[in-house]
Structures are given as structure tokens and as C-alpha cells.
Amino acid sequence: MIPVRALRDCLDGVIPGVVSTCAADGTPNVAYMSQGQYLDEGHLALSYQFFNRTHQNLLTNPRVILGLIHPQTAQQYRLHLVYERTETQGPVFESMKAKLAGIASHTGMTGVFRLLGSDIYRIEGAEVVPGSALPAPSPTVDPLLALRACMERLPTSSDAESLLDALLDGLQAHFAIEQALVMMLDPRRDRLYTVASRGYATSGVGSEIPVGEGVIGVAARERAPIRISHVTSEYAYGLAMREGAERRGMGDLLETEIPFPGLASPGSQLAVPIPGTREPLGVLFVESATEMRFTHADEDALVALAIQVGGLFRLFQAELELGEEAHPGAIRESRPDGPPLRVRHYAVNDSVFLGDDYLIKGVAGNILWTLLQDHQALGRTQFSNRELRADPRVRLPDQSDNLEARLVLLHRRLVERGACVQLEKTGRGRFRLVVARPLDLEEVAPEP
């Protein structure tokens, strides 16, 4: 029997497969398959949409013959399957739902193609159908060699920020992936926030997506990679810039949404969770304007990269917790001259404004506000990750605090905005707060 993993490209729906079933009285039925998904060498899933006769037959006779055609070589295959069950939720269902939405959009069948379930089959045999076939095209990138090159560099990173840079640089240099970003999970708010990106007009650092929304949010929620070759509006992200001010019951609080940096018209997308101890640390997301840009081999390679990145993130955190030296105490330094800058902190969502410009919110905003308070009250400029993690004012989540990722986010937002406040790394788990002008801090309490 040929290995089923070699047939994965046949299951994406580029050329629909043919599902043959038989009723209890022997009447045959043939229907087209929109999409399938490889599960393991013994199982695969087929999309269940409107195969009423097919499903009726499965309940009385679970044996199925599936005909497949390779989309690039036109080689035909025949699989012998046995129906086991139908799943209507979970990672397999959500992944197939996302891919089916892309297929529907590409074929003009949005609203018609609606996934009702994922039918799980046991594979009893697979064979090649005799006939002529085209030669397989040579890939422009060898994912295995690209994976090796990236994995050799990642462990040389000294901290979380350099790790993210090495990851995204490696995707461009070795995988020829031009558009990529990393989003980290904020479990308290059930949202993902961008900490690094490549290949976009604006970095989008600080932009957010709710868990469960789009390809990235669904990948985080289901803890499973999602790859789609024809992007649909249901799983794409809007890029419209929000302008002006919004009050939202928070006094004169201005708009705090940073636009997501994704492509306006993507052709392919792949979202891969970065695993953590109890829940995903975040998601690695890549996209391209070209349809069918990412293969199963690309998905496998990026899953391996994400596993390594997650392990290194956890290693950095453990080393910092064990290896940092406690801060020796408050150090008073001279304050800069010049007109003071008004800095507002809105307690309702921990958003921080420098003058009238929105900077950041959430835990990263609260970290900055804590640093600025100590700087104003004590003249401090030297800080450590360890003391921040233990400081009750910061209010880090009990689990998966991702402090290092939040400091990366804060550092990059300050650099992007050219702010008069900056963070400079001074050693492992230590940094300096650089303030170029006097600050006038203002705490804005929520309206009653």
C-alpha cells in the first residue's frame, strides 16, 4: 500500500475527489468531495456538507471508495475506506471549516459550501490507478533544508526579541516567505497581540485579534495549524485605518486600535500555534498573495519551527527567573530638562498616551506606567524582569504571563513612535529606562 501521507496534496480540493458508496439494497451512489484532511497513516477526514444520500448509505454500509487526482501530476489513486464517525467541533472540524470557506470563496460557492461535519474514516488500502501522469514540478524551496538552516540559528539567540528576529529573518532567507508575523496570547483578555512582523508597509506591532477570529484566532483556540490556499473574507482581516477619537464612556480616551498589518488581498495563509506548557504562547502566521503558496511540507516545517520557538521562549523565562540578580534598590538620577510631556494612564484598560498619541494598552501599558511612576517618584532608571514579575502593581496573569514578550512589544512600540521614553537592554533580564524630557503623569480613573 502506498503511504497515505504522499496523497495529502490530493485532499485539498483543487481537483474534487469522488466518493462512492452503496445503499443497503446494493444501489450505488457517487458524489464529489470538496475537501479531505490527512490525520495519520490509518485515518483521514472528508468534509460533510450536503451528501444526504452518501450519509444515508454510510449508516447502513460504512465502506467507501475514494478516487483522488493529484493536482500537479494528474496521477489517479483509489482509497478503500471505512466510515467511523462524524465530528462537528474540535481542531479537525475547525481546520476543515476554514479551508472549505477558502474553497467556496475561490469557486463562487460562498453560502452554498457550509461544513456540517468532518467524517472520519479508517484507511484499509490505497493504490495507484494505472495511467499516464505528468512529472512532478521541482519545488523552489526545499522545506527540510530550510528548516535545518532556521533551527541551527534559533538556539544562538540571546533573548526573546532576538529569537523573534531570527525566526522571521529565517523565514525570508530560507523559506522565501516574505510576509510573516508573530502574535502572542494574552490569556486574561483572550486576545492575541502582534510582537514582530516582516514584509508589511507598517509593522502592526501592538495590533490585536480575539481568540477564535480568523485563521490566527481559530488556530490559537483549537491549538492546531490551519492552512488555506484560497482566502475567503470569513478568515481574512480588515486593514481599514480607524481615524478620529472615540469616547466609549472613558472621558477623552482616544482610539486605541492599531491596524492589523496583513495583506489586503491574500491568496494563501498559514497559521501555526506556538505551544506553551498549558496553552499556546502565541501563533506564527505567514501569508502570500499567491494562491496555493504553502504546501503540506511547509506546514510540517513551520510546526517544527514553532515547537522549537515555544521551547526556547520557556527556556529564556526559566533562565531569567533563576539567573537574574535582584535589583540593589532605588537609584536616583538627575532628571532631564525641557518642557514636560503629559502622560495619561487610563485605568479602565491600562492604555497609555504620550501627549495626545496613543501608545499601548493592556499588561504592557501597565508595565510602562509602573516604570514611569518609579522613575518620577524615585528617579529610578534601572529595572529587572524579576522585580516586574513580582510587582503586584503590574498585575501579570497567574499563568503564562509572557513578561518577556510584553517587554518586546513595549520596546518596539516605543521605538516605532520615536518616543521620548525608551527601554535599553543592559544585561540578561535587566534594562534601563531612558527618559529624554520631564514627564507629567496623570492617572485617569474609570467614570462611575
Side-chain angles (χ1 to χ4, degrees):
M1 184 175 75
I2 62 174
V4 179
R5 62 180 176 276
L7 307 182
R8 291 187 297 177
D9 289 339
C10 304
L11 297 171
D12 284 343
V14 178
I15 300 178
V18 177
V19 180
S20 301
T21 59
C22 189
D25 62 2
T27 303
N29 182 72
V30 176
Y32 283 112
M33 171 208 77
S34 296
Q35 179 206 168
Q37 183 158 314
Y38 170 87
L39 302 181
D40 56 48
E41 279 302 298
H43 298 85
L44 59 77
L46 302 182
S47 58
Y48 164 39
Q49 298 141 254
F50 30 67
F51 295 167
N52 294 331
R53 177 60 62 184
T54 297
H55 252 261
Q56 290 176 15
N57 290 349
L58 291 177
L59 297 178
T60 57
N61 181 6
R63 297 192 172 275
V64 172
I65 293 179
L66 173 64
L68 297 175
I69 302 177
H70 195 282
Q72 294 175 311
T73 67
Q75 177 65 64
Q76 298 185 49
Y77 303 91
R78 185 182 298 117
L79 276 67
H80 299 268
L81 312 175
V82 177
Y83 170 74
E84 292 189 342
R85 66 186 184 279
T86 297
E87 296 183 357
T88 57
Q89 60 184 357
V92 173
F93 176 80
E94 291 295 341
S95 177
M96 296 188 73
K97 180 181 176 183
K99 294 176 184 177
L100 185 63
I103 295 170
S105 176
H106 180 67
T107 58
M109 297 291 284
T110 300
V112 177
F113 280 9
R114 184 172 66 88
L115 189 64
L116 301 178
S118 298
D119 289 343
I120 310 300
Y121 294 85
R122 184 177 74 254
I123 303 169
E124 290 197 329
E127 56 188 334
V128 176
V129 177
S132 59
L134 300 172
S138 300
T140 56
V141 173
D142 185 331
L144 188 58
L145 291 178
L147 173 63
R148 175 178 176 176
C150 288
M151 296 188 78
E152 286 176 344
R153 180 183 172 188
L154 293 185
T156 66
S157 305
S158 59
D159 54 35
E161 188 160 12
S162 61
L163 173 64
L164 294 174
D165 287 336
L167 171 63
L168 298 182
D169 290 345
L171 291 177
Q172 284 188 326
H174 304 297
F175 284 91
I177 295 175
E178 295 300 325
Q179 286 80 31
L181 57 84
V182 175
M183 304 193 80
M184 304 302 289
L185 176 66
D186 184 344
R188 178 187 294 169
R189 299 172 57 237
D190 208 27
R191 298 178 74 87
L192 295 137
Y193 56 93
T194 305
V195 292
S197 69
R198 287 290 186 280
Y200 298 106
T202 59
S203 74
V205 169
S207 58
E208 297 185 347
I209 289 173
V211 171
E213 179 179 296
V215 174
I216 299 173
V218 173
R221 184 187 68 198
E222 300 300 328
R223 307 183 186 189
I226 295 181
R227 178 181 56 88
I228 55 178
S229 298
H230 314 294
V231 176
T232 174
S233 59
E234 181 181 356
Y235 287 89
Y237 298 99
L239 303 179
M241 175 72 75
R242 299 187 181 185
E243 299 177 351
E246 282 190 354
R247 296 192 177 274
R248 295 184 182 176
M250 293 178 280
D252 59 346
L253 177 58
L254 300 179
E255 175 61 67
T256 61
E257 296 298 327
I258 299 171
F260 184 81
L263 293 176
S265 300
S268 306
Q269 294 180 329
L270 171 59
V272 177
I274 300 173
T277 303
R278 299 180 181 86
E279 56 196 346
L281 291 175
V283 174
L284 169 62
F285 174 71
V286 299
E287 61 180 343
S288 171
T290 303
E291 293 185 344
M292 296 184 289
R293 166 62 180 82
F294 306 117
T295 65
H296 286 279
D298 292 323
E299 178 181 329
D300 293 341
L302 265 59
V303 167
L305 275 180
I307 292 172
Q308 187 185 36
V309 169
L312 289 172
F313 253 100
R314 296 192 297 274
L315 178 62
F316 288 146
Q317 179 172 323
E319 288 179 346
L320 288 171
E321 290 176 350
L322 294 174
E324 290 174 4
E325 295 181 1
H327 197 278
I331 301 176
R332 181 172 294 276
E333 298 187 6
S334 59
R335 300 193 179 189
D337 296 326
L341 174 68
R342 182 189 183 200
V343 181
R344 287 172 293 161
H345 172 253
Y346 289 83
V348 68
N349 64 353
D350 288 317
S351 59
V352 175
F353 287 77
L354 302 181
D356 291 329
D357 295 331
Y358 166 71
L359 178 71
I360 205 163
K361 65 182 175 183
V363 174
N366 202 28
I367 289 173
L368 177 59
W369 186 246
T370 299
L371 300 177
L372 294 180
Q373 284 181 309
D374 282 0
H375 174 75
Q376 184 179 63
L378 304 172
R380 286 189 58 186
T381 60
Q382 306 293 327
F383 297 89
S384 73
N385 294 25
R386 173 183 287 183
E387 66 176 303
L388 281 179
R389 186 170 278 112
D391 194 326
R393 295 174 297 171
V394 177
R395 301 196 305 277
L396 287 171
D398 293 335
Q399 298 177 351
S400 302
D401 61 50
N402 277 347
L403 174 62
E404 285 66 44
R406 299 176 198 275
L407 287 171
V408 171
L409 168 61
L410 177 57
H411 171 249
R412 296 195 170 191
R413 279 293 290 169
L414 290 168
V415 170
E416 277 192 356
R417 303 301 294 179
C420 67
V421 177
Q422 295 290 329
L423 301 182
E424 291 184 354
K425 191 173 181 64
T426 58
R428 181 177 292 273
R430 299 178 66 83
F431 61 92
R432 175 175 175 243
L433 180 71
V434 180
V435 181
R437 58 188 284 194
L439 304 177
D440 181 12
L441 305 186
E442 178 185 345
E443 178 77 61
V444 182
E447 292 185 356

